[in-house]
Each structure stands twice: as structure tokens, then as C-alpha cells.
Amino acid sequence: MTTTLDFSLTLFKSAFDNKTHRRMDFPSFDELGKLLYALSNQTKKGKRDAELISPAIYKTDTTRSNANVLRWAGWCAVDVDDISIEGSIDDYVHDLVPGWRFVCYSTASSTIAQPKFRLVFELARPIESDTIRHFWYALNKELGDIGDIQTKDLSRMYYIPATYDDANNFIFSGSGEPIDVDALLAKHPYVDRAKSGNTFLDRLPPELANAVVNHRKSTIESNSSDI
């Protein structure tokens, strides 16, 4: 297991870029935060005009895929898209986050009517690939399931902060502690259905599995009434 506390990111030129050799390393989360703030001052037309970053560090000489991820290096991110906020975004986020250190920045589709933003958190230790799904599950549970479920992907990329045309642009930080990874994992146990389940239903998300079961029940009841 990796024990070195590194703060690194992998940079991608576009959403279609799968090369993983563009890596930036930082001595601290402070330095990573400085980069995010510097990027937020750059003017971009939209997402097609922006690069992407990922906390994932990959096996040498491989392309971007979940199978090639070694770890998340010192930070993680959660996308918040579909929530209703009363009052200031700053107050909402500070009330939401349980004492963790973070950088919050708006995404290209953020509007005044519907703020959309990304929360970047400092981690107390790197997260190895076989723990990432459990960690993301626990993190999202701790935040009240507000995160975009797509961000649980091991090799997830995020568009950089920028001053996007026609967007409600903002960036701010919160002081606090790095996320205690081990404590969070222990607080929110997780069962990897893809590994432990032996049936089709076991491998589905709970909501979808329930929908399939209910559909089967309805079909059986309908057929019974026709007899």
C-alpha cells in the first residue's frame, strides 16, 4: 500500500484524451489550491475550450481506464449539480461540509438560478484503487447523497475552474482538517455488489434492483388476474 502523502493530478487536454503521462505533483494541498485559483482567472468559452484534471494516478505507459488506476493522490472531488439553495452558496457549503478543508469552484454550466459547483477535498492519505468505490460511497453518504453519482468512477476527470462565458463563476475555500479516510470508511460500511453478488439483481444499484423486483411483481399479479 502507498504510504507517501502526495498531492498529484493527471491532466487531460480534452474529454477525449486518454493519455495519462501528463502529471503534476505538489508538495502540499496549499499548492494544489493555488493552481485551482490561478486557473479560475483564465477566460474560457465553455467546457470544449477547457482542460480536465483527475486525482487518479495511473500505471506507467497506460491509457485512462478504471483498470489502470493506482490511487487517488491526496485529494478527491464531488460534483454538486441538482440542488436548491436558499441564501448564499458560501453559507450552504460551509454548513454542508463537516469540518473538512476544501476548495469550492463553479462549473461551466453554473447559473444564478441553478448554481453548480465542484468541491475539492484534501485527504489525510492517498486512496488505493481497491478502496476508491467504498470511499466515494462513504463520502457521498456523509454529504447527504448530494454528489453526482458519475463522480464515483475511478478514472473520473473534472473540468478545470475558469471564468466561463455566460456562467455564474465563483471560487472560495474552507479551512479545516483533511478527510480522515479510515474513519469515514468505518462509519459507512460498503458492499461491492459487483464482487459479492452472484445474481443479476445483486449487481444492480439498490434503486434499480427494487424497480426490477416491483416490475416482476406487477407482471405476476397481472398474469394471475387473467387466469
Side-chain angles (χ1 to χ4, degrees):
M1 175 178 287
T2 300
T3 57
T4 302
L5 181 56
D6 53 356
F7 298 91
S8 305
L9 62 82
T10 303
L11 179 67
F12 299 92
K13 293 182 177 180
S14 73
F16 304 101
D17 182 9
N18 68 349
K19 297 179 176 62
T20 62
H21 65 283
R22 300 181 188 88
R23 173 173 164 178
M24 298 180 67
D25 301 313
F26 306 89
S28 67
F29 188 76
D30 283 335
E31 295 303 314
L32 173 60
K34 288 179 182 178
L35 173 67
L36 297 178
Y37 271 84
L39 291 172
S40 72
N41 292 320
Q42 296 184 357
T43 300
K44 301 285 184 180
K45 294 180 180 179
K47 291 193 294 187
R48 293 184 179 180
D49 190 36
E51 298 81 14
L52 300 94
I53 57 176
S54 174
I57 301 302
Y58 297 84
K59 299 173 184 176
T60 304
D61 297 327
T62 61
T63 54
R64 190 179 77 89
S65 73
N66 288 341
N68 293 329
V69 173
L70 293 172
R71 65 188 180 278
W72 282 359
W75 65 281
C76 66
V78 175
D79 283 347
V80 183
D81 291 338
D82 300 313
I83 59 170
S84 178
I85 298 177
E86 295 183 4
S88 74
I89 298 171
D90 190 298
D91 288 342
Y92 173 86
V93 173
H94 278 87
D95 288 341
L96 172 71
V97 175
W100 296 330
R101 189 178 186 193
F102 69 86
V103 175
C104 175
Y105 68 87
S106 55
T107 59
S109 55
S110 176
T111 65
I112 293 178
Q114 182 62 67
K116 298 186 178 184
F117 53 90
R118 181 162 296 124
L119 290 168
V120 176
F121 295 106
E122 179 181 8
L123 302 176
R125 68 166 176 84
I127 305 175
E128 302 303 313
S129 59
D130 59 357
T131 310
I132 289 175
R133 293 189 187 280
H134 182 181
F135 170 78
W136 192 93
Y137 168 85
L139 175 61
N140 200 33
K141 285 297 179 185
E142 191 71 12
L143 296 175
D145 290 315
I146 65 166
D148 180 349
I149 61 172
Q150 295 184 66
T151 56
K152 69 181 179 180
D153 188 47
L154 275 66
S155 58
R156 174 73 172 181
M157 301 182 293
Y158 304 94
Y159 284 100
I160 61 170
T163 301
Y164 291 101
D165 290 353
D166 303 319
N168 174 26
N169 299 290
F170 55 85
I171 185 170
F172 60 91
S173 302
S175 59
E177 298 296 322
I179 295 178
D180 185 331
V181 174
D182 297 301
L184 193 61
L185 295 176
K187 184 176 180 179
H188 300 281
Y190 171 76
V191 176
D192 191 337
R193 292 174 178 271
K195 293 181 179 179
S196 64
N198 295 318
T199 69
F200 167 71
L201 287 178
D202 289 330
R203 293 191 294 271
L204 293 177
E207 297 80 4
L208 187 55
N210 289 335
V212 171
V213 170
N214 290 333
H215 174 71
R216 289 176 177 177
K217 287 181 179 179
S218 298
T219 301
I220 292 172
E221 291 173 356
S222 177
N223 290 340
S224 297
S225 64
D226 293 336
I227 296 175

